[in-house]
Amino acid sequence: QHIRRRELSTMRDRINCMRSLFVQKMQERGVAHDFSFMREQRGMFSLSGLTPMQVDELRRTHSIYIVGNGRINVAGMTRDNMDTLCDAIADVLGNS
């Protein structure tokens, strides 16, 4: 039981870290869209505020798969894929 709580805590901390890193990386890219609200959300998924057209463009031009309503799988974010994700979203937002 103690090990499970520790694993849950570790996963929760990692997801929260990815949320903060995502917000930081998007701010560094200077996009007008404010993603800071994502730091306050909880859970494995987050609504991004991206439109269905932006989500479709991410899929078509960058092979980034986000649910049509803009829901992002935060648990799937890693330090290794964060720049690719943020570059793609910044590109789509710049083209919108």
Side-chain angles (χ1 to χ4, degrees), residues 6-17 44 75-76:
R6 191 172 31 185
E7 288 173 349
L8 269 173
S9 178
T10 299
M11 186 62 167
R12 181 184 59 241
D13 292 346
R14 191 193 77 75
I15 289 172
N16 289 338
C17 180
M44 293 176 24

Side-chain angles (χ1 to χ4, degrees), residues 33 48-57 67-70 92-93 96:
H33 189 99
S48 65
L50 298 174
T51 68
M53 286 178 53
Q54 291 165 332
V55 168
D56 186 54
E57 187 176 344
V67 177
N69 66 357
V92 167
L93 290 174
S96 295

